């Protein structure tokens, strides 16, 4: 009995001794795990060419990557997650955020490996696993009510057509940018977005991007970040481009969207802090919700309130040869159309969950996202390729908006300060709620 008590006391003292000697890790202690994470992302990129969206870390890491099986990658990711779970992190905010970021990104990597191995989950379970978020659901009646409100505006304006989709398409034809004027319109839009962003955020010296016009893509625009503060932005010209897409794409892909986001990460985290995990961007990860959400909300940051349609009326409409007198109504209808943004999520959710087929998904998009049939079919191709990624645009935008409004209210200087901090820190979607 006495021996048992002594053994228990000894064990208790050893536990206390072990706890008191345990070192709380700082940011530097996470560097080894961060490097292993980058190498795993690059290894997984050999199994899916679209997985690594950008990489500008050491070239040797990329060339030295040896072919690993999906099982090997999953095993390594699990080991790194266990290692992260076992360390005690210091209370410094950025260290806590970095630790959580690595954990969640590795969790998403593991989930994507399982998907490549054939596992399939519901739309919501997949989005939670990959993007750290689940989009709200909406009924058909919710969208129909918005459609009816938009249709009233179209009928009042005299739009021709026997159905809503015919009327909205006939109305929108007035606002297509002529192909020969596309580049001039985009250049002016980019210039304005940069000017408005630079007023509040210091851009890294030497940052730049080039724009290319491409075809046969499942997306309308894409930013390919090259590193060294440089991006390649591609605009898909398969379908007619409406005047509203000029500011959308210039802000979303450029300033203060993806180009700014990536340059700030490279400047503040990769170069200033040597956090190598940000030298690689795995597309199917929580980072994408922050990237897409901030890029979409960045449009409103650069052009708050009525300033957007007024700028387009005064500058872009004349360049495109469109009637400026129609700008206010066009943007009134565009604003109403934004209420249909989650209809695309519902189409993807029902399609990927197996409740409807591709044709039905396209019809849903035509009816409740106000997409012409050709544009709806293009969107279904996007869903086929990127699956639950679609939540990152609308839910991401709403989460970023909520974060900015909560932290900064309505004061412009403070809003841009919080926005810049978000673009320069290792925050997760769940940190924005």
């Amino acid at each position: 009995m006495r021996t048992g008590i002594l053994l228990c006391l000894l064990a208790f003292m050893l536990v206390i001794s072990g706890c008191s000697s345990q070192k709380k890790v700082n940011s530097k202690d996470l560097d080894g795990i961060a490097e292993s994470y980058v190498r795993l992302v690059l290894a997984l990129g050999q199994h899916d060419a679209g997985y690594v969206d950008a990489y500008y870390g050491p070239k040797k890491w990329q060339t030295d990557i040896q072919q690993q099986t999906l099982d090997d990658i999953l095993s390594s990711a699990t080991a790194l997650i266990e290692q992260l779970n076992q360390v005690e992190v210091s209370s410094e905010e950025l260290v806590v955020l970095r630790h959580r970021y690595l954990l969640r990104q590795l969790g998403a990597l593991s989930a994507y490996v399982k998907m490549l191995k054939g596992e399939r989950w519901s739309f919501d379970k997949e989005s939670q696993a990959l993007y750290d978020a689940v989009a709200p659901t909406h009924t058909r009646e919710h969208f129909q009510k918005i459609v009816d409100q938009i249709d009233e505006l179209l009928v009042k304006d005299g739009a021709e057509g026997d159905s809503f989709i015919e009327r909205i398409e006939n109305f929108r034809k007035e606002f297509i940018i002529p192909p020969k004027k596309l580049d001039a319109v985009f250049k002016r839009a980019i210039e304005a977005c940069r000017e408005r962003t630079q007023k509040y955020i210091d851009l890294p010296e030497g940052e730049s991007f080039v724009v290319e016009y491409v075809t046969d893509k499942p997306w309308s625009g894409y930013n390919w970040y090259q590193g060294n503060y440089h991006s390649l932005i591609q605009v898909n010209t398969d379908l007619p481009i409406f005047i509203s897409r000029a500011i959308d794409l210039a802000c979303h892909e450029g300033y203060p969207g993806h180009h700014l986001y990536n340059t700030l990460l490279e400047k503040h985290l990769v170069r200033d802090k040597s956090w190598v995990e940000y030298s690689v961007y795995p597309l199917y990860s929580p980072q994408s919700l922050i990237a897409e959400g901030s890029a979409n909300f960045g449009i409103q940051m650069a052009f708050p309130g009525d300033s957007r349609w007024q700028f387009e009326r005064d500058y872009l409409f004349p360049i495109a040869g469109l009637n400026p007198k129609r700008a206010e109504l066009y943007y009134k209808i565009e604003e109403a159309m934004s209420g249909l943004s989650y209809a695309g999520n519902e189409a993807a959710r029902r399609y990927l969950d197996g409740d409807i087929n591709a044709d039905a998904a396209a019809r849903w998009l035509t009816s409740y996202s106000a997409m012409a049939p050709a544009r709806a079919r293009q969107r279904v191709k996007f869903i086929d390729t990127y699956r639950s990624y679609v939540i990152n645009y609308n839910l991401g935008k709403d989460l970023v908006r909520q974060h900015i409004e909560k932290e900064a209210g309505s004061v412009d200087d403070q809003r841009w300060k919080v926005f810049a901090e978000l673009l320069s820190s290792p925050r997760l979607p769940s940190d924005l709620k």
Side-chain angles (χ1 to χ4, degrees):
M1 180 72 173
R2 186 176 300 170
T3 302
I5 293 174
L6 289 174
L7 288 173
C8 288
L9 286 172
L10 180 60
F12 177 74
M13 290 174 66
L14 287 172
V15 169
I16 295 298
S17 175
C19 290
S20 63
S21 63
Q22 185 177 18
K23 174 188 173 185
K24 289 188 177 182
V25 301
N26 57 32
S27 185
K28 192 70 176 174
D29 297 320
L30 297 174
D31 287 351
I33 295 176
E35 178 179 335
S36 297
Y37 158 76
V38 173
R39 292 179 181 272
L40 273 186
V41 172
L42 295 175
L44 186 52
Q46 294 183 330
H47 291 269
D48 183 344
Y51 181 69
V52 180
D53 192 74
Y55 176 67
Y56 51 91
K59 290 184 179 179
K60 185 174 174 55
W61 292 5
Q62 199 169 30
T63 56
D64 285 353
I65 290 296
Q66 297 181 353
Q67 186 70 35
Q68 299 181 49
T69 68
L70 291 174
D71 286 334
D72 288 340
I73 294 172
L74 183 58
S75 177
S76 297
T78 301
L80 288 175
I81 291 171
E82 291 176 355
Q83 189 176 345
L84 283 167
N85 281 326
Q86 289 171 3
V87 302
E88 186 177 359
V89 184
S90 74
S91 58
E92 183 183 348
E93 182 186 21
L94 277 180
V95 179
V96 173
L97 289 174
R98 187 186 187 193
H99 179 265
R100 292 185 64 242
Y101 174 85
L102 286 167
L103 263 175
R104 196 63 191 82
Q105 290 287 113
L106 281 164
L109 182 147
S110 299
Y112 196 66
V113 171
K114 293 174 182 178
M115 290 178 63
L116 290 180
K117 284 167 59 66
E119 287 193 30
R120 282 293 178 268
W121 307 310
S122 69
F123 179 85
D124 289 341
K125 183 178 178 181
E126 178 184 309
S127 73
Q128 179 65 56
L130 296 181
Y131 308 116
D132 194 33
V134 174
T137 59
H138 296 281
T139 64
R140 186 189 305 265
E141 290 73 23
H142 169 83
F143 299 117
Q144 186 61 57
K145 183 177 180 180
I146 298 171
V147 166
D148 291 342
Q149 292 169 349
I150 298 168
D151 205 23
E152 284 182 18
L153 294 173
L154 295 171
V155 171
K156 185 177 180 180
D157 187 58
E160 297 181 355
D162 295 329
S163 66
F164 166 69
I165 195 61
E166 289 181 0
R167 286 188 285 274
I168 190 66
E169 283 302 299
N170 285 330
F171 174 79
R172 283 175 146 181
K173 285 178 182 177
E174 290 184 56
F175 306 98
I176 293 173
I177 304 172
K180 290 183 179 180
K181 298 182 178 181
L182 187 61
D183 190 52
V185 171
F186 267 105
K187 283 180 177 176
R188 185 65 184 93
I190 290 167
E191 179 184 306
C193 293
R194 190 178 194 277
E195 287 174 354
R196 290 163 180 257
T197 300
Q198 195 172 26
K199 180 180 177 182
Y200 297 98
I201 297 178
D202 292 331
L203 304 179
E205 186 177 351
E207 61 78 24
S208 65
F209 63 75
V210 296
V211 177
E212 289 182 353
Y213 300 97
V214 299
T215 57
D216 195 27
K217 303 295 181 183
W219 35 257
S220 59
Y222 211 108
N223 178 299
W224 304 97
Y225 191 66
Q226 312 288 298
N228 292 318
Y229 307 145
H230 182 72
S231 294
L232 167 64
I233 295 176
Q234 293 183 325
V235 177
N236 187 4
T237 59
D238 282 343
L239 298 172
I241 297 178
F242 301 113
I243 189 69
S244 59
R245 292 296 287 156
I247 289 296
D248 280 354
L249 289 172
C251 283
H252 183 99
E253 307 296 347
Y255 312 97
H258 292 323
H259 176 67
L260 178 68
Y261 175 63
N262 285 302
T263 57
L264 292 183
L265 290 181
E266 181 174 1
K267 170 67 174 65
H268 295 294
L269 299 186
V270 178
R271 297 196 183 192
D272 292 353
K273 294 184 178 297
S274 299
W275 288 8
V276 295
E277 63 268 34
Y278 274 95
S279 67
V280 70
Y281 175 12
L283 189 65
Y284 306 109
S285 71
Q287 187 179 353
S288 281
L289 187 139
I290 302 294
E292 300 294 0
S294 61
N296 265 358
F297 187 66
I299 301 167
Q300 186 175 325
M301 291 292 297
F303 292 90
D306 291 336
S307 65
R308 173 178 174 174
W309 75 261
Q310 291 170 353
F311 170 83
E312 297 203 15
R313 175 197 62 194
D314 296 342
Y315 295 96
L316 300 190
F317 272 63
I319 295 173
L322 305 181
N323 182 2
K325 294 180 180 179
R326 300 284 282 164
E328 185 171 6
L329 176 62
Y330 176 63
Y331 280 99
K332 183 176 183 180
I333 289 179
E334 285 291 301
E335 177 62 25
M337 294 274 287
S338 67
L340 300 176
S341 69
Y342 279 90
N345 290 8
E346 291 302 330
R349 179 183 278 116
R350 296 174 185 217
Y351 175 45
L352 295 177
D353 285 352
D355 296 330
I356 57 177
N357 61 21
D359 289 339
R363 288 195 297 272
W364 173 280
L365 291 167
T366 296
S367 297
Y368 304 114
S369 288
M371 293 182 181
R375 207 173 292 274
R377 289 192 295 272
Q378 184 190 60
R379 191 62 176 173
V380 173
K381 289 182 181 179
F382 183 94
I383 296 169
D384 282 331
T385 303
Y386 297 104
R387 299 182 59 82
S388 61
Y389 191 94
V390 296
I391 75 159
N392 295 326
Y393 298 101
N394 41 40
L395 179 61
K397 177 183 177 180
D398 287 346
L399 290 177
V400 170
R401 177 196 290 113
Q402 291 167 19
H403 175 72
I404 300 299
E405 291 176 350
K406 176 183 176 183
E407 298 296 324
S410 59
V411 180
D412 279 350
D413 287 353
Q414 187 63 21
R415 285 165 69 86
W416 277 98
K417 181 176 182 291
V418 174
F419 187 74
E421 288 172 351
L422 174 62
L423 269 58
S424 307
S425 63
R427 296 190 184 277
L428 293 165
S430 52
D431 295 327
L432 305 183
K433 297 176 181 178

